[in-house]
Amino acid sequence: MGMLQEDVVIIRPPEKDGDNTVLTVNCPDKTGLGCDLCRIILIFGVTIIRGDVSTDGKWCYLVFWVVGKPKTRWSLLKKRLIGACPTCSSASGISYYCTDLNPPKPPNVFLLKFCCHDRRGLLHDVTEVLCELELNIKKVKVSTTPDGKVVDLFFITDTRELLHTKARKDDTIEQLTAILKDALITIDIELVGPETPSCSQSSSFLPTAITEDIFDLELPDSVRTGTFTSDSVSVEMDNSLSPAHTLVQIMCQDHKGLLYDIMRTLKDYDIQISYGRFTTKPRGKCEIDLFIVQADGKKIVDSSKQKSLSARLRTELIRPLRVAVVSRGPDSELLVANPVELSGKGRPLVFYDITLALKMLGTCIFSAEIGRHVIGDREWEVYRILLDEGEGVSVPRNNIEKGVWKMLMGWE
């Protein structure tokens, strides 16, 4: 008898105070599935405390012990996790894969444009509404006029694929109007067209501070004084403990999206996890054991491949994002960069965390842009925030960097 779709993902609430919510996924396997699931869990603001993963290459079973927030929408999280899992059906008691020969069509991109009177924290309030509505921000162009008005352009896609309908559009405008209140002057949403692969610019369009900062972290020993990083990271590989797998042992400091950072790195290297265990320890430390194989099903015996994967994992865990405040003429500009997956997906909620941190610091935003740039052999999503330092007491640059970094890492 086939498995019901509802049984693919099961979320069991805590039985008593102090217990964790237990989230299980039982479905056909695919390379990168762990990355996709951890990305969704990160989007919903749910923290993974412990995890176990096992697969035979065809079927996988994942268990996550997680902690949510008071506003966590568990039923919607379950729906999104089910949507990321490969489907299967049953015929004569034999489960088989249901593969779609036609790749999914790219989502439509919509332009949200509004003009309003500026106020502190406005950009974060708008971003929060869009996140709650499951509207994904692909690109942003925010500017402030001399008379104190802001013109915001958000290029967005809809996870629910309903923004083309009048009801969904009206609901979005209504919720944004409620948060903007009397400050709102005009607002409109229009269809731009299907999403196309982003045209990344070369790194010459970026200040050298951010490009040098990215290249400066090839190895932990090369971290510059004053940069914000996670604590020391240990990545060890061993081929002696399993006849068929390479064991990767990681010890590091916990941060928001830790498992996602590990999984996306393995996904980009086309590495399959056969068994894995993740546990958090006292003082925010984590231990991860992963038994992995290459795409051909064999362990990693090439020492150069081992060193390459180990170095990339260490780099991504020491500093999964880059944060810097630089001079832009007489003004200060906040730069945040994160690597883009080979699949084209960027790290979720970065703009949300940036705007929240600046709101808490009492720092106003004069203009903002999100773009993608090729730096070295990788594509990066870069957030450029020109800070408005014209009113009140100026926040020291180091405090801005530290506040944004801690928010992005979940250490606020």
Side-chain angles (χ1 to χ4, degrees), residues 207 325-333 397:
V325 177
V326 300
S327 295
R328 184 171 168 183
D331 302 311
S332 296
E333 183 178 44
R397 289 185 175 185

Side-chain angles (χ1 to χ4, degrees), residues 248-264:
V248 180
Q249 294 181 302
I250 301 172
M251 289 186 289
C252 61
Q253 186 177 7
D254 195 12
H255 66 252
K256 184 193 298 182
L258 171 64
L259 269 188
Y260 167 70
D261 289 323
I262 295 172
M263 296 294 187
R264 67 174 170 82

Side-chain angles (χ1 to χ4, degrees), residues 138 195-203 206 214-215 260 264 268 312 316 320 322 336-347 370-383:
K138 312 302 289 187
E195 184 177 25
T196 57
S198 60
C199 298
S200 298
Q201 302 179 61
S202 70
S203 60
L206 292 175
I214 287 172
F215 284 124
Y260 167 70
R264 67 174 170 82
D268 284 352
R312 177 59 60 84
E316 298 300 335
R322 313 294 190 266
V336 177
N338 61 265
V340 176
E341 294 178 33
L342 290 181
S343 65
K345 294 179 181 178
R347 189 183 190 87
I370 302 175
R372 292 194 173 186
H373 302 260
V374 175
I375 304 175
D377 60 349
R378 303 182 69 187
E379 185 178 33
W380 293 76
E381 201 160 49
V382 180
Y383 300 76

Side-chain angles (χ1 to χ4, degrees), residues 185-206:
I185 300 173
T186 60
I187 185 169
D188 187 41
I189 299 175
E190 62 182 51
L191 174 65
V192 175
E195 184 177 25
T196 57
S198 60
C199 298
S200 298
Q201 302 179 61
S202 70
S203 60
S204 61
F205 287 86
L206 292 175

Side-chain angles (χ1 to χ4, degrees), residues 39 67 76 90 95 129 138 143 161 190 220 231 234 257 329 337-338:
R39 188 177 192 276
V67 176
L76 186 59
S90 177
S95 296
V129 170
K138 312 302 289 187
S143 56
E161 298 184 347
E190 62 182 51
D231 281 353
S234 170
N338 61 265

